[in-house]
Structures are given as C-alpha cells and as structure tokens.
Amino acid sequence: MRKQPKFSGIQGGGRRGHFSPLALVGILVPLVLVMIVGTAFVLPRLRSHAADVNVNCTLIVPDQPLTVQGLATPYQLLATDPAKGPCNEATAGQAAFVQAAVIDPATGHIAVYDPLVIDQGTKPLAAPVLPALPAGGIVGIWFGFNGSNLLLQGAGVRQGRCVNGIKGSIFGQVAYCNAPAFFDSANLAIHSGKLVPPALGRAKDGLPCPTVRDFSVVDMDQSDNVTTSYLMNANGQTAQMNAANIAAEQGAHTQVNGSDNRLLSIALDGALGCTPWMAPDLADPGQTVTALPLNELQAAAHQTDPVAMVPNHDPMVTVNGNTNLTKLNAYRRGVDQPQVQNASMSSTRTYCNDLFTISPTRMLLDAHLTRVRPSPDAAAANSLFTFLAQRFVATYEANGLNCMKLLNMPDPVQVKTDAAGVAIAATIDGTVVSTPLDCNVNGTLVLGCAGTTTINGQTCSLTMDRKAHQIVITCPAQQNQP
C-alpha cells in the first residue's frame, strides 16, 4: 500500500475569515463552548472532508534546470492521467515542491533557492527571483510531493541529470537532479576545511539534538521530501516565499510539503530547543532557510552510532514490494548515503531493531516537551507528541516496515484515537501520555485553550473550565452605535 504523506506541515498566514466558534480543534472529550456574549452549545470536533483527489501527478522540468534561467522558470504541475482528475498546486494533497542548493567549490559556501511550481497553463502570482549563482557553482535539486507518485517529464530531466527512480519504477514522492555532484563537491569542501557543518548542540532533554539519520526521528522511509513552502492566493496562483511577496500578497496563505526534513527542522527542533542548519536564501536576500541537503550533510558529519540509513524495504525503494538494490542505491545517492552491495548491508530487520530500541525511549523522555506543541497535521494527531506516536505505529506495524513480524516483538507504542481517527493519547512501554486540549481560532493556536486571541477585530480571552467541560470565550461588549 502506498504510504500517504506523513507531515502536512504547519499552515501559516492563512486568509482571515469570519470567526466561527466551531473552528476549535483537538477536543479529547465532548465540550460545551460558552461565549459570554452569546449562547452555549455543544462543540463537535470538526475535520475537513475533501473529495478524493488524484494523487498521481506530473511535474514538467524546465529547460536547463541547473542554470540561473532554469531555476527561475516555474515547474508546471499536471495530472499524469487526466482521466483520474486534475492536479492543482492549491490542493494540499497534490502539491509539489522544489528545492535547490548551490555550492561554490572555491569557497565551500552553500546557498539555497526554492524554484516555483505552478499549474500548467497558468502564471505565477509573482515572477520568481533570478538567483545569483557563483562562477563554477554546482547546483543540486530535490523534489517533494504531498500525493503518492510524482513523475518528472520534459527536456530538463535529461539536461539536469534528474533521477525519478529506476526504469519502470519511480520512487514515489521524491526525486532529484544532479544531487550526487552537489554532494561530491560539498564533501570535498568539508574534507578540505572550507565547509564546516555546524555542531548539533544539546537538546532540552540533555541529549544531542536529533538529525535526519537519528532513530528517534526516522520512519518507514526516511530522508524524504523538502522544506520548501510557497505563497498561494485564493485563485491558486503561487509565489516564492520571500519578504517582498509576503508584503505584496497579504491575503495569501502558505502551502508546505509533508516532509521528514520539515518535521525535524521546524517542529522537533522548535520543541527541543535545537537550531537547524540554515543557509542564505537566494530568493530572499538577507534571509536564511533550512534545506534537505543541509540536513543530510550535518547528519553525515555528526550523527553518532547507530546511524539510520534508508533500509532495503523502504516502500520508496522496493519494486512490487521486493528488495531492489539498484533502486535503493539510486535513492541513497540523492541523499548522500553509502551505496550497498548486498541486502545485509541495508537490513530492514536491523533498522527495525534500532528503531525499537531508540525511538520509544526518546519519545517518552521528550513527551513533556512535545505534548504541548501543535501537531504538524491536525487531521492525524492533536499534538506533536501524538503525531510522533502514530507515525511510529504506522512504521512499526504491518502497513509499514512490519517490524513487529521481523523482530517478533509487539509494538511498544499504542495510540488512542477519537471518533474521527485523530490520535489524542498514546501509551509507551506501559506509560500513558495524554495531551492537553488546545484551541485553534481562525488559524491562531491557543495552547491549553487559555489565553487571548483576536476575534472579529476584538481581543477575546479563552479559559478552560474542565469541571464543566466548557471552553469560555469572553469578548468585550459591543458598544451601541448612534
């Protein structure tokens, strides 16, 4: 079964609509919402039920994608099979993302540039910025997708030395162009001392900050997708995420990639007090951004044993469910991981054993930090903690790597879900961890449903009456107009 996107991202900058008290999410038990200026009523837990969408899309790679002009030319999204419905960048479950990085071999300096994706036949919301590339700079490009299978097409595929998988079997959500050359240059710069990946630092739990090769972070298919985000208006037009576009398009919202890299760099690093490696953004002068290649280079430099590498039964590297070392090695080349000559060098059983040993322990250790952080995907879990717990279960059990069978060990994590299937609590090695109730008001998260937020231009306060199972919202009385 094709794995669905793991991390839809924390949406930000959404269009402000009229306040509805029903916009509160993450309810553990039935609650009554009481507005001092209104009437009390039962508050159900709401989820959006979008119609089924086509999860197999194609991305047209522009000509000469590794050049200044190619990077600044939007990629075009369309349906691989139009009979199954269209593909639109505005649809979260179909959105595709592109991330590029360039290294100057002479200095070891790395910069990041996120090319734009638009729907085929449309124009961007704002013209992409022309990146300033160093003379002799080596560009690598990586792709992420919120659907299931992203196919690359166009003359740029060959020109950019793009890899979508192997003949007859694509990776699925990810692909890359010229990544091995980028990593070769970066590793030479590291070995010569021109490029120094920053130290990981120490997390709030006293352990080293995690990397994308840490068994407390990885899942059934690690090192996938990118940290790119786009601005998008109500008409579905996209623009690069930079200060100029944010100022010019204040009604636009953010579209982000469901990404292991984003999970680490945004959600986990934020919860654990860690700082991701960032590099200058060529689309936003004066700003720095995170990126997949930075995460992989830092992990390669500093991750201590055991180091998580893509296993041979990762669904993205199998062919019809069977191990295929050619495809595995092709995937690994795109994220700068060692090549393997036999299946034992990429054992899924060994991977499962390290996952079993490390992940639940740190998940429990960090629960006091992650349980009070918002979920990366409100449709999957009600906090960062429960998101990580359900993600572990999806990896460990039969629909993932089936570690339970490989190790002949029961799942150490059990997840409790609500009626809508959203993870709301978890038990780890017998310890029950529940998460606090949070409120989301027009896109503003109020942790613990206690604090203030703006509703219809007024500053309103939220308090939780747990005894009465009520959320009380108090807004100033409206003054009568003459």
Side-chain angles (χ1 to χ4, degrees):
M1 182 180 70
R2 168 54 58 192
K3 178 189 66 63
Q4 294 302 307
K6 297 168 294 181
F7 176 48
S8 66
I10 302 171
Q11 301 295 319
R15 297 186 300 277
R16 292 183 179 274
H18 296 295
F19 168 71
S20 167
L22 297 181
L24 303 173
V25 298
I27 306 305
L28 301 185
V29 294
L31 291 169
V32 174
L33 178 70
V34 178
M35 293 193 70
I36 299 303
V37 296
T39 306
F41 54 88
V42 177
L43 175 67
R45 193 189 192 291
L46 297 184
R47 291 181 63 190
S48 60
H49 295 279
D52 289 339
V53 298
N54 185 356
V55 292
N56 300 313
C57 303
T58 291
L59 204 57
I60 304 299
V61 180
D63 289 349
Q64 304 300 332
L66 305 178
T67 66
V68 170
Q69 195 59 50
L71 288 168
T73 300
Y75 288 67
Q76 298 182 59
L77 184 72
L78 66 154
T80 304
D81 180 358
K84 294 182 178 180
C87 286
N88 301 111
E89 190 69 10
T91 303
Q94 297 177 318
F97 302 82
V98 188
Q99 184 158 71
V102 57
I103 182 166
D104 183 347
T107 63
H109 178 81
I110 292 177
V112 176
Y113 182 85
D114 292 341
L116 189 63
V117 175
I118 63 173
D119 292 344
Q120 187 180 44
T122 68
K123 294 183 178 181
L125 179 59
V129 175
L130 281 171
L133 301 183
I138 298 175
V139 175
I141 302 175
W142 294 263
F143 300 86
F145 184 49
N146 287 349
S148 294
N149 294 292
L150 183 67
L151 180 65
L152 302 185
Q153 287 188 347
V157 173
R158 177 184 54 80
Q159 297 163 351
R161 296 180 287 279
C162 302
V163 178
N164 207 175
I166 62 174
K167 185 176 181 179
S169 181
I170 67 173
F171 296 132
Q173 294 179 326
V174 301
Y176 60 84
C177 303
N178 206 45
F182 172 90
F183 282 123
D184 285 347
S185 182
N187 287 320
L188 283 174
I190 291 171
H191 293 152
S192 67
K194 295 177 182 177
L195 176 63
V196 181
L200 297 179
R202 189 69 56 176
K204 291 179 180 178
D205 60 11
L207 298 176
C209 288
T211 76
V212 287
R213 301 183 187 181
D214 190 318
F215 277 100
S216 70
V217 172
V218 299
D219 65 351
M220 62 195 287
D221 44 12
Q222 68 173 82
S223 300
D224 63 346
N225 291 286
V226 296
T227 61
T228 301
S229 58
Y230 298 130
L231 281 176
M232 180 168 294
N233 70 3
N235 295 325
Q237 292 175 287
T238 55
Q240 290 172 311
M241 182 68 69
N242 59 39
N245 291 339
I246 292 171
E249 305 294 340
Q250 296 187 17
H253 70 276
T254 305
Q255 192 78 292
V256 298
N257 187 202
S259 163
D260 286 355
N261 284 280
R262 190 176 181 85
L263 172 63
L264 172 69
S265 299
I266 306 299
L268 276 173
D269 278 352
L272 299 180
C274 298
T275 303
W277 185 7
M278 305 175 80
D281 184 356
L282 296 180
D284 197 4
Q287 301 301 313
T288 58
V289 288
T290 59
L292 177 153
L294 299 178
N295 286 344
E296 293 294 344
L297 288 170
Q298 188 178 36
H302 299 302
Q303 178 61 50
T304 57
D305 290 334
V307 180
M309 302 289 185
V310 177
N312 56 36
H313 258 280
D314 175 336
M316 290 192 181
V317 302
T318 58
V319 177
N320 297 322
N322 299 313
T323 298
N324 186 292
L325 295 185
T326 300
K327 190 176 182 184
L328 169 62
N329 283 328
Y331 189 106
R332 284 190 169 203
R333 277 192 290 271
V335 290
D336 196 33
Q337 291 184 8
Q339 302 291 280
V340 298
Q341 284 73 51
N342 55 67
S344 64
M345 295 175 66
S346 57
S347 167
T348 301
R349 187 181 188 282
T350 300
Y351 190 94
C352 284
N353 186 67
D354 289 330
L355 185 73
F356 175 86
T357 302
I358 294 170
S359 183
T361 300
R362 189 161 192 181
M363 199 186 310
L364 186 57
L365 176 67
D366 294 339
H368 69 291
L369 300 169
T370 57
R371 67 191 289 270
V372 296
R373 304 288 290 200
S375 171
D377 185 351
N382 70 340
S383 73
L384 176 56
F385 167 74
T386 48
F387 178 84
L388 294 171
Q390 60 84 30
R391 183 172 175 264
F392 179 90
V393 170
T395 298
Y396 192 83
E397 297 188 1
N399 287 334
L401 295 178
N402 204 4
C403 299
M404 198 155 51
K405 180 179 180 180
L406 288 173
L407 301 179
N408 194 27
M409 294 288 291
D411 193 338
V413 179
Q414 289 80 46
V415 172
K416 178 182 179 182
T417 60
D418 66 9
V422 177
I424 58 175
T427 301
I428 300 178
D429 291 328
T431 300
V432 179
V433 180
S434 297
T435 57
L437 175 67
D438 295 333
C439 293
N440 188 316
V441 182
N442 286 348
T444 299
L445 189 70
V446 183
L447 295 177
C449 292
T452 61
T453 189
T454 301
I455 301 173
N456 291 339
Q458 295 180 290
T459 299
C460 303
S461 64
L462 281 73
T463 58
M464 169 66 75
D465 185 340
R466 295 188 180 276
K467 184 176 181 180
H469 295 284
Q470 294 179 342
I471 302 166
V472 179
I473 301 178
T474 305
C475 297
Q478 294 279 0
Q479 298 294 323
N480 292 329
Q481 299 296 319

